[in-house]
Protein backbone atom coordinates (compact mmCIF):
# COMPACT_ATOMS: atom_id res chain seq x y z
CA UNK A 1 0.00 0.00 0.00
CA UNK A 2 2.86 2.39 0.69
CA UNK A 3 3.81 2.11 -2.98
CA UNK A 4 0.33 2.00 -4.46
CA UNK A 5 -0.94 5.20 -2.89
CA UNK A 6 1.61 7.61 -4.40
CA UNK A 7 1.47 5.81 -7.74
CA UNK A 8 -2.30 6.18 -7.82
CA UNK A 9 -2.04 9.85 -6.89
CA UNK A 10 0.37 10.51 -9.74
CA UNK A 11 -1.74 8.55 -12.21
CA UNK A 12 -4.88 10.41 -11.16
CA UNK A 13 -3.17 13.76 -11.60
CA UNK A 14 -1.79 12.84 -15.01
CA UNK A 15 -5.20 11.66 -16.22
CA UNK A 16 -6.72 14.98 -15.20
CA UNK A 17 -3.98 17.15 -16.65
CA UNK A 18 -3.73 15.32 -19.96
CA UNK A 19 -7.50 15.19 -20.50
CA UNK A 20 -7.24 18.22 -22.76
CA UNK A 21 -9.97 19.30 -25.16
CA UNK A 22 -9.38 21.46 -28.24
CA UNK A 23 -12.07 23.76 -29.59
CA UNK A 24 -12.12 26.34 -32.40
CA UNK A 25 -12.28 30.03 -31.49
CA UNK A 26 -15.00 30.49 -34.11
CA UNK A 27 -17.49 27.75 -34.94
CA UNK A 28 -17.85 29.22 -38.43
CA UNK A 29 -16.88 32.35 -40.39
CA UNK A 30 -13.41 32.66 -38.84
CA UNK A 31 -12.50 36.35 -38.73
CA UNK A 32 -9.89 37.22 -41.37
CA UNK A 33 -9.35 33.62 -42.48
CA UNK A 34 -7.44 33.01 -45.71
CA UNK A 35 -8.74 29.46 -46.00
CA UNK A 36 -10.18 26.60 -43.98
CA UNK A 37 -7.08 24.48 -43.34
CA UNK A 38 -5.70 23.76 -39.90
CA UNK A 39 -3.29 26.71 -40.22
CA UNK A 40 -6.28 29.00 -40.80
CA UNK A 41 -8.22 27.74 -37.77
CA UNK A 42 -7.23 29.23 -34.40
CA UNK A 43 -8.08 27.04 -31.41
CA UNK A 44 -7.98 26.78 -27.63
CA UNK A 45 -6.82 23.62 -25.89
CA UNK A 46 -8.22 23.38 -22.38
CA UNK A 47 -6.28 21.89 -19.47
CA UNK A 48 -8.61 21.72 -16.43
CA UNK A 49 -7.20 22.41 -13.00
CA UNK A 50 -6.12 19.25 -11.19
CA UNK A 51 -8.96 17.58 -9.34
CA UNK A 52 -9.46 19.04 -5.90
CA UNK A 53 -7.07 21.93 -6.56
CA UNK A 54 -9.10 24.29 -8.74
CA UNK A 55 -9.14 27.90 -7.59
CA UNK A 56 -11.49 29.12 -10.32
CA UNK A 57 -8.73 31.14 -11.99
CA UNK A 58 -7.88 30.72 -15.68
CA UNK A 59 -4.97 31.59 -17.96
CA UNK A 60 -4.89 32.02 -21.73
CA UNK A 61 -1.42 30.92 -22.85
CA UNK A 62 0.33 32.23 -25.99
CA UNK A 63 3.33 30.04 -26.95
CA UNK A 64 6.39 31.66 -28.47
CA UNK A 65 7.96 30.95 -31.84
CA UNK A 66 8.76 34.27 -33.49
CA UNK A 67 5.21 34.57 -34.89
CA UNK A 68 6.38 31.80 -37.21
CA UNK A 69 5.68 28.74 -35.07
CA UNK A 70 4.32 27.66 -31.69
CA UNK A 71 6.64 26.11 -29.10
CA UNK A 72 4.95 23.26 -27.17
CA UNK A 73 7.08 23.75 -24.05
CA UNK A 74 5.70 27.29 -23.80
CA UNK A 75 2.12 26.12 -24.22
CA UNK A 76 1.25 22.61 -23.08
CA UNK A 77 3.99 22.52 -20.43
CA UNK A 78 2.86 25.82 -18.91
CA UNK A 79 -0.77 24.68 -18.92
CA UNK A 80 0.06 21.47 -17.07
CA UNK A 81 2.13 23.40 -14.51
CA UNK A 82 -0.70 25.85 -13.93
CA UNK A 83 -3.28 23.04 -13.74
CA UNK A 84 -1.20 21.34 -11.06
CA UNK A 85 -1.41 24.59 -9.10
CA UNK A 86 -5.17 25.01 -9.50
CA UNK A 87 -5.38 27.29 -12.55
CA UNK A 88 -7.21 26.09 -15.67
CA UNK A 89 -4.97 26.64 -18.70
CA UNK A 90 -6.15 27.53 -22.19
CA UNK A 91 -3.39 27.14 -24.80
CA UNK A 92 -3.99 29.39 -27.79
CA UNK A 93 -3.10 28.27 -31.28
CA UNK A 94 -3.00 31.62 -33.04
CA UNK A 95 -2.38 32.29 -36.72
CA UNK A 96 1.14 32.91 -38.00
CA UNK A 97 3.16 35.07 -40.37
CA UNK A 98 4.46 32.32 -42.70
CA UNK A 99 0.84 31.33 -43.36
CA UNK A 100 0.05 34.79 -44.71
CA UNK A 101 -1.26 36.45 -41.57
CA UNK A 102 -0.24 39.84 -40.21
CA UNK A 103 -1.42 42.16 -37.45
CA UNK A 104 -4.22 42.55 -36.38
CA UNK A 105 -5.14 38.87 -36.95
CA UNK A 106 -2.99 37.61 -34.07
CA UNK A 107 -4.53 40.17 -31.72
CA UNK A 108 -8.01 39.16 -32.92
CA UNK A 109 -7.20 35.55 -31.99
CA UNK A 110 -5.98 36.49 -28.50
CA UNK A 111 -8.96 38.79 -27.94
CA UNK A 112 -11.39 36.11 -29.06
CA UNK A 113 -9.75 33.59 -26.71
CA UNK A 114 -10.22 35.91 -23.74
CA UNK A 115 -13.85 36.56 -24.65
CA UNK A 116 -14.55 32.86 -25.21
CA UNK A 117 -13.20 31.86 -21.80
CA UNK A 118 -15.40 34.46 -20.14
CA UNK A 119 -18.46 33.51 -22.19
CA UNK A 120 -18.16 29.85 -21.19
CA UNK A 121 -16.75 30.42 -17.71
CA UNK A 122 -19.58 28.61 -15.93
CA UNK A 123 -19.18 25.53 -18.14
CA UNK A 124 -15.43 25.41 -17.48
CA UNK A 125 -15.80 26.22 -13.77
CA UNK A 126 -13.75 29.39 -13.92
CA UNK A 127 -14.31 32.90 -12.62
CA UNK A 128 -14.74 35.41 -15.48
CA UNK A 129 -13.17 38.06 -13.24
CA UNK A 130 -9.96 36.00 -12.86
CA UNK A 131 -8.76 35.32 -16.38
CA UNK A 132 -5.14 36.19 -17.16
CA UNK A 133 -2.93 36.00 -20.22
CA UNK A 134 0.56 34.49 -20.40
CA UNK A 135 3.10 34.49 -23.19
CA UNK A 136 6.74 33.77 -23.95
CA UNK A 137 9.01 35.48 -26.48
CA UNK A 138 6.79 36.42 -29.46
CA UNK A 139 3.88 34.96 -27.50
CA UNK A 140 4.87 37.46 -24.83
CA UNK A 141 4.52 40.18 -27.42
CA UNK A 142 1.04 38.95 -28.26
CA UNK A 143 0.14 38.81 -24.56
CA UNK A 144 1.52 42.32 -24.01
CA UNK A 145 -0.44 43.51 -27.05
CA UNK A 146 -3.68 42.35 -25.46
CA UNK A 147 -2.60 43.88 -22.15
CA UNK A 148 -2.35 47.25 -23.91
CA UNK A 149 -4.88 46.99 -26.78
CA UNK A 150 -7.92 45.39 -25.14
CA UNK A 151 -11.52 46.56 -25.37
CA UNK A 152 -14.60 46.18 -23.20
CA UNK A 153 -16.61 44.19 -25.74
CA UNK A 154 -19.44 45.12 -28.06
CA UNK A 155 -22.72 45.33 -26.14
CA UNK A 156 -24.66 45.38 -29.42
CA UNK A 157 -23.02 42.28 -30.92
CA UNK A 158 -25.29 39.46 -32.07
CA UNK A 159 -22.58 36.96 -31.09
CA UNK A 160 -22.71 36.70 -27.27
CA UNK A 161 -18.98 35.97 -27.16
CA UNK A 162 -18.21 39.34 -28.71
CA UNK A 163 -20.07 41.07 -25.89
CA UNK A 164 -17.38 40.01 -23.44
CA UNK A 165 -14.41 42.17 -22.47
CA UNK A 166 -11.00 41.20 -23.88
CA UNK A 167 -9.13 42.87 -21.01
CA UNK A 168 -7.04 40.31 -19.09
CA UNK A 169 -7.17 40.50 -15.31
CA UNK A 170 -3.38 40.12 -15.18
CA UNK A 171 -0.44 39.18 -17.40
CA UNK A 172 2.63 36.93 -17.22
CA UNK A 173 5.39 37.77 -19.70
CA UNK A 174 8.31 35.36 -20.06
CA UNK A 175 11.38 36.81 -21.85
CA UNK A 176 8.89 38.74 -24.03
CA UNK A 177 9.35 40.65 -27.24
CA UNK A 178 7.87 44.04 -26.34
CA UNK A 179 9.16 46.64 -28.75
CA UNK A 180 9.13 46.78 -32.53
CA UNK A 181 11.91 49.37 -32.35
CA UNK A 182 15.69 49.07 -32.07
CA UNK A 183 15.71 46.28 -29.46
CA UNK A 184 13.10 44.07 -31.15
CA UNK A 185 13.47 40.50 -32.35
CA UNK A 186 13.64 41.03 -36.10
CA UNK A 187 12.08 37.72 -37.07
CA UNK A 188 9.03 38.37 -34.91
CA UNK A 189 8.69 41.88 -36.31
CA UNK A 190 8.83 40.66 -39.91
CA UNK A 191 6.31 37.86 -39.34
CA UNK A 192 3.92 40.19 -37.51
CA UNK A 193 4.18 43.40 -39.53
CA UNK A 194 5.68 42.39 -42.88
CA UNK A 195 8.77 43.65 -44.69
CA UNK A 196 8.31 47.43 -44.54
CA UNK A 197 5.82 48.45 -41.87
CA UNK A 198 4.94 52.11 -41.45
CA UNK A 199 6.34 54.13 -38.57
CA UNK A 200 2.82 54.40 -37.19
CA UNK A 201 2.39 50.62 -37.14
CA UNK A 202 5.80 50.10 -35.53
CA UNK A 203 4.86 52.57 -32.80
CA UNK A 204 1.41 51.03 -32.31
CA UNK A 205 2.88 47.56 -31.74
CA UNK A 206 5.79 48.78 -29.58
CA UNK A 207 3.86 47.98 -26.45
CA UNK A 208 6.12 49.86 -24.06
CA UNK A 209 4.62 52.95 -25.68
CA UNK A 210 1.02 51.77 -25.22
CA UNK A 211 0.87 51.22 -21.46
CA UNK A 212 -1.77 53.22 -19.58
CA UNK A 213 -3.17 53.26 -16.06
CA UNK A 214 -5.71 50.69 -17.30
CA UNK A 215 -3.03 48.12 -18.19
CA UNK A 216 -3.47 45.04 -15.93
CA UNK A 217 -0.90 44.00 -13.28
CA UNK A 218 1.99 42.13 -14.88
CA UNK A 219 4.69 39.63 -13.90
CA UNK A 220 7.83 39.65 -16.07
CA UNK A 221 11.00 37.60 -16.14
CA UNK A 222 14.01 37.69 -18.44
CA UNK A 223 17.68 36.70 -18.48
CA UNK A 224 20.29 39.41 -18.79
CA UNK A 225 22.30 37.47 -21.36
CA UNK A 226 19.36 36.53 -23.61
CA UNK A 227 20.92 36.55 -27.10
CA UNK A 228 17.64 36.54 -29.05
CA UNK A 229 15.36 39.01 -27.27
CA UNK A 230 17.33 41.71 -25.42
CA UNK A 231 16.50 42.15 -21.74
CA UNK A 232 15.68 45.78 -22.50
CA UNK A 233 12.31 44.56 -23.76
CA UNK A 234 11.18 43.60 -20.24
CA UNK A 235 12.92 46.60 -18.69
CA UNK A 236 11.10 49.03 -20.98
CA UNK A 237 7.72 47.49 -20.27
CA UNK A 238 8.35 47.48 -16.53
CA UNK A 239 9.42 51.13 -16.67
CA UNK A 240 6.20 52.01 -18.50
CA UNK A 241 4.14 50.13 -15.91
CA UNK A 242 5.92 52.00 -13.12
CA UNK A 243 5.36 55.35 -14.83
CA UNK A 244 1.63 54.63 -15.04
CA UNK A 245 1.25 53.26 -11.52
CA UNK A 246 0.47 49.72 -12.64
CA UNK A 247 1.50 46.95 -10.19
CA UNK A 248 4.22 44.66 -11.54
CA UNK A 249 6.81 42.09 -10.50
CA UNK A 250 10.05 42.03 -12.52
CA UNK A 251 12.75 39.35 -12.26
CA UNK A 252 15.98 39.51 -14.25
CA UNK A 253 18.39 36.60 -13.92
CA UNK A 254 22.06 36.99 -14.78
CA UNK A 255 22.39 33.65 -16.56
CA UNK A 256 20.15 31.77 -18.94
CA UNK A 257 19.49 31.24 -22.63
CA UNK A 258 16.40 32.33 -24.51
CA UNK A 259 13.35 30.09 -24.47
CA UNK A 260 14.02 28.31 -21.18
CA UNK A 261 10.35 27.69 -20.35
CA UNK A 262 9.86 26.01 -16.99
CA UNK A 263 13.54 24.95 -17.00
CA UNK A 264 13.06 22.11 -14.49
CA UNK A 265 11.93 24.29 -11.64
CA UNK A 266 13.75 27.55 -12.41
CA UNK A 267 13.28 30.11 -9.59
CA UNK A 268 10.97 32.20 -11.77
CA UNK A 269 8.23 29.61 -11.35
CA UNK A 270 8.32 29.90 -7.56
CA UNK A 271 8.27 33.69 -7.74
CA UNK A 272 5.41 33.60 -10.24
CA UNK A 273 3.29 31.37 -7.98
CA UNK A 274 3.88 33.78 -5.08
CA UNK A 275 2.69 36.62 -7.29
CA UNK A 276 -0.33 34.67 -8.50
CA UNK A 277 -1.23 34.00 -4.87
CA UNK A 278 -0.97 37.71 -4.13
CA UNK A 279 -3.52 38.33 -6.89
CA UNK A 280 -5.89 35.55 -5.84
CA UNK A 281 -5.15 33.11 -8.68
CA UNK A 282 -3.60 30.33 -6.58
CA UNK A 283 -3.97 29.29 -2.97
Amino acid sequence: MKLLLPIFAVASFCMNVFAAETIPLWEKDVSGALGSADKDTPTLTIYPAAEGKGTGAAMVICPGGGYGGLAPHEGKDYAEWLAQNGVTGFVLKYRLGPDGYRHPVMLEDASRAMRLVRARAKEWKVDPARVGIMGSSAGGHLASTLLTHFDRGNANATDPIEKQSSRPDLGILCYPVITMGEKTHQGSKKNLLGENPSEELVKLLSNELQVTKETPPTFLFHTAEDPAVPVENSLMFAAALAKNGVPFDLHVYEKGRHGIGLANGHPWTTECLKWLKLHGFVQ
Side-chain angles (χ1 to χ4, degrees):
M1 290 296 294
K2 290 183 179 180
L3 291 174
L4 289 175
L5 284 174
I7 290 173
F8 175 79
V10 171
S12 176
F13 165 69
C14 289
M15 287 175 65
N16 180 275
V17 169
F18 288 102
E21 175 191 6
T22 299
I23 62 170
L25 291 186
W26 285 270
E27 290 292 341
K28 58 181 180 178
D29 300 327
V30 178
S31 177
L34 300 176
S36 57
D38 182 67
K39 65 181 181 179
D40 303 303
T41 308
T43 64
L44 275 182
T45 300
I46 308 153
Y47 293 80
E51 186 173 353
K53 293 187 176 182
T55 66
M59 193 74 65
V60 174
I61 303 165
C62 306
Y67 282 116
L70 299 171
H73 76 288
E74 295 167 350
K76 176 177 178 288
D77 289 7
Y78 285 171
E80 292 173 357
W81 168 66
L82 287 168
Q84 185 180 11
N85 287 284
V87 179
T88 297
F90 295 83
V91 178
L92 174 62
K93 187 190 82 175
Y94 54 93
R95 288 168 284 181
L96 300 168
D99 297 324
Y101 293 100
R102 298 287 184 264
H103 174 78
V105 169
M106 294 77 158
L107 177 57
E108 289 179 3
D109 291 349
S111 299
R112 179 74 176 188
M114 187 64 56
R115 300 188 213 279
L116 182 57
V117 171
R118 288 200 168 109
R120 297 177 63 177
K122 185 176 181 180
E123 173 187 347
W124 291 323
K125 299 179 181 179
V126 300
D127 180 357
R130 285 186 294 152
V131 184
I133 193 162
M134 178 179 191
S136 300
S137 193
H141 183 269
L142 181 55
S144 72
T145 303
L146 191 59
L147 289 169
T148 53
H149 296 76
F150 57 83
D151 64 65
R152 300 292 180 175
N154 180 2
N156 298 316
T158 55
D159 181 351
I161 295 171
E162 292 300 317
K163 294 182 178 182
Q164 299 289 332
S165 170
S166 68
R167 181 184 185 273
D169 293 297
L170 54 73
I172 299 173
L173 305 180
C174 309
Y175 40 89
V177 179
I178 294 292
T179 189
M180 291 288 108
E182 179 185 357
K183 295 294 183 177
T184 193
H185 176 255
Q186 292 296 334
S188 297
K189 180 179 179 179
K190 179 180 177 182
N191 283 328
L192 179 66
L193 303 182
E195 289 284 357
N196 297 296
S198 67
E199 291 184 13
E200 291 77 14
L201 190 57
V202 168
K203 182 178 179 180
L204 181 67
L205 273 298
S206 291
N207 293 325
E208 78 279 11
L209 303 177
Q210 306 303 326
V211 172
T212 71
K213 296 183 184 302
E214 295 299 313
T215 301
T218 304
F219 177 97
L220 306 99
F221 97 89
H222 221 114
T223 60
E225 63 181 13
D226 190 322
V229 177
V231 69
E232 285 89 345
N233 282 263
S234 285
L235 298 179
M236 287 188 288
F237 199 75
L241 294 170
K243 182 179 179 180
N244 285 276
V246 177
F248 70 94
D249 207 348
L250 170 66
H251 297 265
V252 177
Y253 299 93
E254 180 180 359
K255 298 294 183 181
R257 61 177 176 81
H258 184 72
I260 63 175
L262 296 176
N264 296 318
H266 191 282
W268 83 263
T269 58
T270 300
E271 295 300 329
C272 187
L273 289 175
K274 289 179 182 177
W275 184 79
L276 287 171
K277 184 176 182 179
L278 178 67
H279 288 273
F281 270 55
V282 302
Q283 296 177 345

